[in-house]
Amino acid sequence: MLKTIAAILAIALLTVLVLALTKPDSFRVERQATIAAPPDKVFALINDLHQWQAWSPWERKDPAMQRTHSGATSGKGAAYAWSGNKNVGSGRMEIIDSVPPSRVLIQLDFITPFEGHNTAEFTLQPQGSGTTVTWDMYGPTPFISKLMQVFFSFDKMIGNDFQAGLDSMKAIAERP
């Protein structure tokens, strides 16, 4: 009986490991929203990391989160570090490229609960009198992430947060 249970567990473990090996070596999560506001107004909410507290979905997950701003006030060189509860972890982001009012590129480094080094990119396209904002995050997929992807969809987990953030950004930018 014990040998049978051990064999079943070994097969299950092997199956999970093989499935993890089939996962891609990189990932991309993307969400998009159209906001009834000009690109420069939306761009200001993204390019100034101080503004993120008003719309970022992670701010609501830990209102007591510790935040530290450094570097430039906004744009290239602006940096933001955070440390919070289990829902937000800790990490640092820095704007590495800023093209007003169409693009912001961010180096995103997670420290806890899992180390990760990714890129976040916001692109803004004029759409009539409004702006279409695309929020992407992409980067390498280390083996531990591949194991997690056997059980969880990164696109759904992260994508839902991106959509909530874009919805908040939309509400703020569309205020008169």
Side-chain angles (χ1 to χ4, degrees), residues 83-97:
S83 179
N85 65 23
K86 65 179 178 147
N87 295 315
V88 299
S90 63
R92 182 179 187 277
M93 61 182 168
E94 180 175 344
I95 297 176
I96 56 175
D97 192 31

Side-chain angles (χ1 to χ4, degrees), residues 44-56:
L45 293 171
I46 301 164
N47 195 53
D48 180 352
L49 299 177
H50 295 89
Q51 298 295 321
W52 284 48
Q53 196 168 350
W55 62 267
S56 170

